[in-house]
Amino acid sequence: MSTIGSNVLNSVNGSAAAQAAAAASKSNGADLQDSFMTLLVTQLKNQDPMNPMENAEMTSQLAQINTVSGISELNSTLEGITGQLDAGQAMQAAGLIGSGVLVPGNRVLVGEDGSTTPFGVELEQAADEVQITVRNDSGEVVRRFEPFAMDAGSESFTWNGEMDSGENAPKGSYTVSVEASADGEPLEVVNLNYAMVSGVSLDDNGAPLLDLGGVSEQVSLGDIRQIL
């Protein structure tokens, strides 16, 4: 069952509250400035004529209130922007419910009918040789693909479920390992596996987390490499 956590809905609804809070903070900053100016004028009216406030002292006090007011307005602006970003990310995450995605992982599943889940490879730079190997849960190699070249970025692949022996792989979970190199030097590789987004929740910082169906795992939006 696809779900949207109540905290996600609260995040979306909270964007309006954040804007209202920003407006209230701006009003409070203006009130603070008015109060300061009233006190300053009163101080000037009641100062000792023989020892008046120096221009430098007055300028310093005006600069202080402007700094406080500016910081208050900046904070309120940042709160409003943060609220809008959080709500936007929550909505984006909710829109992925029911979608298949590629995220870091090395699992590929084979069904009763021989169908398989997609997998992927991510490279930071182009490779002139990429070697993909599929192993069963005992660690035995069941399929080794022919090496190929690949550009930088992420790319998805589909295994037809056929083993090197020519037989169809039994139903179950398999692992995919990838080795890549350029000019004989090994490259860093990120393995990707398929998952279905079943729900959305928020972490302690208010960032959306995607619940992956069939596995007890959550990923962030930044973990998604491809939407299938």
Side-chain angles (χ1 to χ4, degrees):
M1 179 178 179
S2 299
T3 60
I4 302 178
S6 59
N7 46 6
V8 176
L9 298 176
N10 291 337
S11 175
V12 175
N13 295 332
S15 63
Q19 294 177 8
S25 178
K26 184 175 181 180
S27 176
N28 291 336
D31 291 342
L32 177 62
Q33 189 170 11
D34 289 343
S35 298
F36 178 85
M37 292 304 297
T38 299
L39 290 172
L40 180 60
V41 171
T42 303
Q43 182 180 359
L44 291 174
K45 287 181 178 180
N46 296 279
Q47 65 182 336
D48 184 354
M50 303 302 295
N51 186 27
M53 180 185 296
E54 296 183 0
N55 290 338
E57 185 179 356
M58 183 184 299
T59 301
S60 175
Q61 292 193 28
L62 288 173
Q64 290 178 22
I65 187 58
N66 285 334
T67 299
V68 172
S69 178
I71 292 175
S72 177
E73 291 182 4
L74 177 60
N75 287 339
S76 64
T77 300
L78 290 176
E79 287 176 2
I81 293 174
T82 300
Q84 292 177 0
L85 289 176
D86 289 345
Q89 288 185 340
M91 290 296 292
Q92 181 183 0
L96 292 174
I97 294 178
S99 299
V101 295
L102 284 182
V103 296
N106 63 354
R107 184 188 70 254
V108 61
L109 303 177
V110 177
E112 287 276 9
D113 57 357
S115 61
T116 62
T117 55
F119 65 93
V121 176
E122 182 179 68
L123 298 176
E124 291 188 357
Q125 66 182 78
D128 48 36
E129 183 172 301
V130 176
Q131 176 72 65
I132 297 177
T133 304
V134 181
R135 292 179 170 82
N136 60 21
D137 56 5
S138 298
E140 300 172 333
V141 175
V142 298
R143 179 68 186 272
R144 194 184 301 274
F145 293 87
E146 290 293 327
F148 59 92
M150 178 178 161
D151 293 332
S154 61
E155 189 170 339
S156 61
F157 301 91
T158 301
W159 173 37
N160 63 6
E162 185 177 304
M163 300 187 294
D164 287 337
S165 64
E167 300 178 347
N168 291 329
K171 175 185 176 182
S173 177
Y174 296 78
T175 58
V176 177
S177 61
V178 182
E179 296 178 349
S181 62
D183 298 325
E185 294 295 326
L187 300 178
E188 184 175 349
V189 179
V190 177
N191 289 7
L192 307 174
N193 62 213
Y194 174 86
M196 180 75 72
V197 180
S198 61
V200 180
S201 57
L202 296 179
D203 64 15
D204 295 337
N205 296 319
L209 292 175
L210 304 175
D211 303 319
L212 303 182
V215 283
S216 300
E217 185 179 355
Q218 290 183 316
V219 298
S220 67
L221 285 172
D223 290 322
I224 296 176
R225 300 305 197 268
Q226 287 189 23
I227 302 173
L228 304 177

